[in-house]
Structures are given as structure tokens and as C-alpha cells.
Amino acid sequence: MQIGHPEIKDRLVAGAVLGIESSCDETAVALLAGDGRILAETVHSQTGAHAAFGGVVPEVAARAHLTHLAPLTEAVLAEAGVDETAIAAIAATSGPGLIGGLIVGANFGKGLALAWGKPFLPINHLEAHALTARLPGLAEGGLAFPYLLLLVSGGHCQFVAVEGLGRYRVLGRTLDDAAGEAFDKAAKLLGLAWPGGPALERLAAEGDPRAMALPRPLLGRAGCDFSFSGLKTALAQAVAGFPPGPLPRTAAADLAASFQAAVTDVLADRTDHALALFRARHPGAASLVIGGGVAANQAIRAALTTIAARQGFRLIAPPLRLCTDNAVMVAWAGIERLRAGALGDLAHAPRPRWPLDAPDMALTPTPVA
Ligand code: KG4
Ligand code: ZN
């Protein structure tokens, strides 16, 4: 991405940005004014299309994005009451994620950009999650860099020091499953429908979190990496101890509560370590942001609030619809990049893997003559 002429930059920043998200199983479109106000937003969740398979089927997802993107975009523009003349740029998730969906969304965005003569901004999905809490009005008093992000979703589980736009330091990540993935696998073992996180949380409310002694992988270890596969295996063994067939309701509830308690303990411990590591680098910083679908879990939120407060941090948890995959965050990342002078890149190829600390995440200013 390049830094452009100041006048071009001012014109782009004044206009609205259309965001497109298609990296997994949510098809989402949003329109934000240049100042970050949300003009219209919509999300089509494909859960129904994938539920019968017990997980996201990439081919099904890509086709569904293709079906839904154009009508969702029309609906967003209609709701906002604008046409393309109000739009300064198109921002679309271009990685990381399922490549079929990324190609559909990014090329849809490029098509609009070409047809309307606007810049196309390829957005890193993780950057979009990382910047969400900077949306105007979301964090009291605003949220300045640097801050610590805990991203916990079905596909991602990492601590990121958000030091500036394009400047991300991954402090720790999962060595195996993501936290949401662990919830989904545990839910499946307990006979709950996919995606299992919310169902497991509901079932856990009826159970005793001390009923079953499950492991807390990496608890107390140095650093802030995660591991969940051992916990999942321990749960599978506990389930195997019951006679074949559906688990008795009380046993399933006890196992759900015990599993959730183990994940919560691990997340709390890892966050405790991550906050200390982050503070050592940034002594004045005091904000912890959580994002991703698992951030919806009340037990986890409560534990993180306690840990953050103990270390003198405020916990910023965006509203759930902005924690899970959405296009508002994509448009907002586009706005942040436009403000920093990005001009867009029609030649950008979507990438299934695109870590936040990849070299091309940094903004590289090129002086204009
Ligand atoms: O961020 P998200 O919507 O999609 C991505 O994975 O990118 O996160 C979905 C994940 C799923 O694994 C789901 O089971 C988990 O978040 N999840 C939850 C809860 N709500 C969603 N996990 C635990 N407790 C919840 N209440
Ligand atoms: Zn996501």
C-alpha cells in the first residue's frame, strides 16, 4: 500500500467506505461514513447451510457468499439511502480465511471498485478484529494505541499487542485448537448441535463446574500461548466412561460446566501472563480488548474483567455483533488505512494465511514528488 497525495487523501477520507466480509461462514456488508459512523450494516449467517455437516464446508460457504453478496450490498446502499457517488473506497477481507470465500468477496469488491472508479482496499481480517474497538463511541474516551487484544474465535486464538496501525506484535497464540474450536468439539462430544459454543454455555449453567476434574493445559507456564487439545481429549475420555447413547442430562450439564470452567481458567491465567508481558513493553498502557465469538461467553467475560482489573487494565468488550465476524470492522479498517494514506491495491491476491505480523502489514510511506 502506498501513501498518496494529501489532497487525494482528504477527498477519500471524507467519503463513505463499503466493507465486505466473506472469510468464513458469515456474508456481511456494511457502509460507514468517513468519520466511522455506521450508515448501514447487514450479516447473513450461513449456519443453516453448514449445520447438517457439523462444521463449515468451504465449497458451500464460497457459493453462499456468491449468492448473497450482491443483494446484501444493494440492501445496505438502500438502507443508507446513498448510491456509489457517496462512496470513497471499497474495503474487502482478503485474508486470512477460507480461500474460496475470500476470492468471492475480494473479487466482488474489486468489481465494484473498477465499475465505480474507486480504490480497492484489501483488508486483513485479523486487523479488522484488532481495530474494531477504535470505532468512534465504542470505548469510553476513545481507544489510543497501544493496547492488548485477546482474539478468541472459532479460527483464531491469540494475544496481540496492537502498537499502531499495521504494527502488531503477536505475544502468544494457540499451539493447537482455537478456543472456539475447542468449544465446538466439546459441544459435539456432548451431543449438542454445531456451532456448539452458545449451546454449551447454556447447558453449563445447569451443571456443577467442579463435577469433573479436567486438565488446565499450560496453566502457570511462562509466556501466553494456549493449548486446548489435551482438554478436549480428557473430555472425550470422560464421555467414553458413560454407557453408549445420549448422555444423561445432568451428566452432560456437569461435563459442560467443568469444560467451560477449565477453558475459563486457562484463558484467565494466560491473560494474566499476557498483561504482564504487554505492560513490560508498554508501561503506560491500560486497555485490554476482547474480540471473537468466544468473547460472548459470560463466564469468560467475568473472569477476564477480574483479571484485567487486578492488573489495573480496563476491559473493552465490543457489542457481540461486532465481536463476531462482520463487515463494519472491515470498513473501519479501511477508513483507518485511508486516513493513514493508503490508496488501494487492485492487484492484491487473497491469502488463506496472512499473519498480523507479516511484513506487508506495515504501512510503507512513499514520498510524493
Ligand atoms: O468470531 P466467530 O463468530 O467466527 C470465527 O470463528 O471467526 O466465532 C465463532 C466461535 C464458534 O467456535 C462458537 O462456538 C464460539 O465462537 N462461541 C462461543 C460462544 N458463542 C460463540 N463459545 C463459547 N461461549 C459462547 N457463548
Ligand atoms: Zn473473525
Side-chain angles (χ1 to χ4, degrees), residues 202-353:
R202 280 193 298 276
L203 184 59
E206 300 170 22
D208 174 4
R210 287 172 305 270
M212 190 72 59
L214 292 171
R216 269 74 172 151
L218 300 186
L219 198 88
R221 293 271 190 88
C224 57
D225 284 335
F226 307 91
S227 167
F228 293 107
S229 68
L231 176 55
K232 176 195 63 195
T233 307
L235 182 71
Q237 281 163 355
V239 171
F242 286 87
L247 285 171
R249 177 88 184 177
T250 49
D254 282 349
L255 286 172
S258 302
F259 175 85
Q260 181 174 276
V263 175
T264 304
D265 284 354
V266 169
L267 287 176
D269 173 78
R270 304 287 76 196
T271 302
D272 206 25
H273 282 221
L275 287 171
L277 289 170
F278 177 72
R279 171 141 296 157
R281 278 184 181 280
H282 302 286
S287 296
L288 168 66
V289 174
I290 52 171
V294 180
N297 188 288
Q298 293 302 325
I300 291 172
R301 274 187 187 229
L304 295 181
T305 305
T306 305
I307 293 290
R310 201 185 295 158
Q311 292 216 33
F313 277 71
R314 63 169 171 164
L315 180 73
I316 301 167
L320 187 58
R321 73 178 210 290
L322 300 179
C323 277
T324 54
D325 287 350
N326 66 88
V328 169
M329 68 179 189
V330 178
W332 173 246
I335 290 170
E336 292 247 35
R337 288 211 163 238
L338 278 182
R339 287 180 181 174
L343 277 186
D345 184 2
L346 266 177
H348 188 276
R351 299 170 57 177
R353 275 189 48 75

Side-chain angles (χ1 to χ4, degrees), residues 12 18 21 23 42 57 135 144 147 164 168 187 189 199 231 237 239 256-257 298 305 327 344 360:
L12 292 179
L18 186 73
E21 161 60 35
S23 66
T42 176
V57 183
L135 267 165
Y147 52 90
Y168 309 102
L189 286 167
L231 176 55
Q237 281 163 355
V239 171
Q298 293 302 325
T305 305
D360 64 351

Side-chain angles (χ1 to χ4, degrees), residues 26 125 129 153-155 180-181 183-184 195-198 201 292-294 296-297 323-325:
E26 264 89 30
H125 179 86
H129 275 301
S153 71
E181 194 180 355
F183 266 100
D184 292 339
E201 181 177 13
V294 180
N297 188 288
C323 277
T324 54
D325 287 350

Side-chain angles (χ1 to χ4, degrees), residues 167-185:
R167 291 173 42 216
Y168 309 102
R169 194 181 297 273
V170 179
L171 300 182
R173 50 163 56 100
T174 183
L175 305 176
D176 37 60
D177 294 344
E181 194 180 355
F183 266 100
D184 292 339
K185 288 177 176 172

